[in-house]
Every structure is written in C-alpha cells, then in structure tokens.
C-alpha cells in the first residue's frame, strides 16, 4: 500500500474518532502508538486531518449543497469523512490530481463503507468537481488528461 493511500486511511480513522469524541483526546496518542508511521506518511495524514477540521463547516456546506436527499449529519460517519477529506484535497491540495483524489476516495468507500458508499462518494465528488466554480482549474486538468488518453 502506498504511503499516501495509507495516510488517507489513517486520516479517515482519525476523523471518524473526532466525529465520535468531538475533540482531541488520549485516543489520538494511543492511535499513533499502535502504528509504525514513517514521517512522510504521518505528515500527510496530519495535513489531511488538520485541513478537514479547519474547514469542516465549509466542507459540510458544500457536501450539503451537492447531496440529494441527504443531510450531512444524517450521513454515515464514514461517508461524510471520506467526502470531507476528498473535498479538502480538491480545494486545497494542488499537488494531488483530481482523478487521484476521486479514485482514492472511492477505494476508501469500498473498503470501509456499505455496499452503496462507493457509488454515493463517486457521484457526489464528481458532481462537485464538474460544477463547483472554485474547481474550474481542476476541471481543465481533468479534461486535458482525458484528451491525452483519447489520442
């Protein structure tokens, strides 16, 4: 498993715990004690977690505005945290290609979500990527990449 994939998985686990506990606690130190995290993987994990927590209200507004028939607080904890992390990557991590973000989010949903989670995550993130005005540059990247593959 790649270090960024592992970091995304760990970030999801940490964000899940934040949703349960509502704050940082001894559980976070215990989490890190059980892992053998290299500095790069841990740094990316912490970057994702900190970014999601810092922008959580904004991320939830975006999720709520693009989801159909779902309120964010009624979504499964796993789904909403995969969406939060994926959107954080799309909005604030320019070094990660949009398709990588979507693919990684879908893989997390397949591994940790229910039978419908991957479809839901894929649909919502793709909708945001294609329609959100702030992601116009990322849409252009996706179009350019698709054009290269079509040749």
């Amino acid at each position: 498993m790649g270090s960024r994939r592992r970091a995304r998985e760990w970030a999801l686990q940490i964000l899940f715990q934040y949703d349960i506990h509502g704050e940082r606690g001894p559980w976070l130190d215990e989490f890190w004690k059980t892992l053998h995290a290299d500095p790069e993987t841990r740094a990316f994990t912490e970057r994702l977690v900190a970014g999601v927590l810092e922008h959580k209200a904004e991320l939830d507004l975006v999720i709520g505005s693009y989801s159909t028939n779902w309120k964010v607080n009624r979504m499964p904890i796993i789904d909403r945290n995969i969406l939060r992390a994926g959107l954080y990557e799309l909005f604030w991590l320019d070094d990660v290609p949009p398709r990588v973000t979507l693919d990684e989010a879908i893989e997390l949903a397949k591994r940790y979500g229910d039978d419908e989670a991957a479809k839901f995550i894929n649909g919502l993130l793709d909708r945001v990527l294609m329609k959100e005005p702030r992601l116009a540059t990322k849409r252009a990247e996706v179009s350019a990449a698709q054009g290269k593959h079509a040749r």
Side-chain angles (χ1 to χ4, degrees):
M1 180 184 305
S3 64
R4 285 207 165 178
R5 177 167 285 180
R6 182 172 289 120
R8 287 179 180 96
E9 193 171 292
W10 290 345
L12 176 61
Q13 293 169 1
I14 292 168
L15 291 168
F16 184 95
Q17 290 299 319
Y18 268 104
D19 254 7
I20 299 293
H21 297 288
E23 62 186 3
R24 180 187 165 98
W27 59 266
L28 187 55
D29 294 329
E30 290 302 315
F31 176 83
W32 285 117
K33 284 179 188 176
T34 65
L35 304 174
H36 300 287
D38 64 87
E40 183 181 323
T41 305
R42 183 169 175 163
F44 190 69
T45 301
E46 290 175 338
R47 183 177 176 196
L48 287 174
V49 170
V52 168
L53 294 176
E54 178 182 346
H55 299 284
K56 185 177 160 192
E58 182 180 355
L59 294 167
D60 285 356
L61 282 173
V62 173
I63 294 166
S65 69
Y66 283 92
S67 65
T68 308
N69 302 324
W70 277 100
K71 293 187 184 290
V72 176
N73 66 345
R74 302 284 298 161
M75 290 177 184
I77 295 173
I78 291 292
D79 295 3
R80 71 174 167 244
N81 281 298
I82 292 171
L83 289 168
R84 287 170 177 158
L87 288 174
Y88 173 75
E89 283 192 37
L90 287 173
F91 287 131
W92 286 284
L93 299 187
D94 292 330
D95 63 324
V96 180
R99 284 291 157 205
V100 170
T101 296
L102 268 66
D103 290 346
E104 291 293 324
I106 293 164
E107 288 305 312
L108 284 171
K110 286 178 182 176
R111 184 161 186 188
Y112 293 100
D114 66 21
D115 293 341
E116 296 298 314
K119 291 180 206 171
F120 176 67
I121 300 293
N122 181 36
L124 196 138
L125 289 178
D126 191 58
R127 195 171 323 121
V128 173
L129 179 60
M130 292 303 129
K131 294 184 178 193
E132 179 62 33
R134 293 179 287 174
L135 296 176
T137 304
K138 298 255 181 165
R139 272 195 297 284
E141 289 175 27
V142 171
S143 295
Q146 289 172 339
K148 287 180 186 177
H149 293 297
R151 293 181 193 169

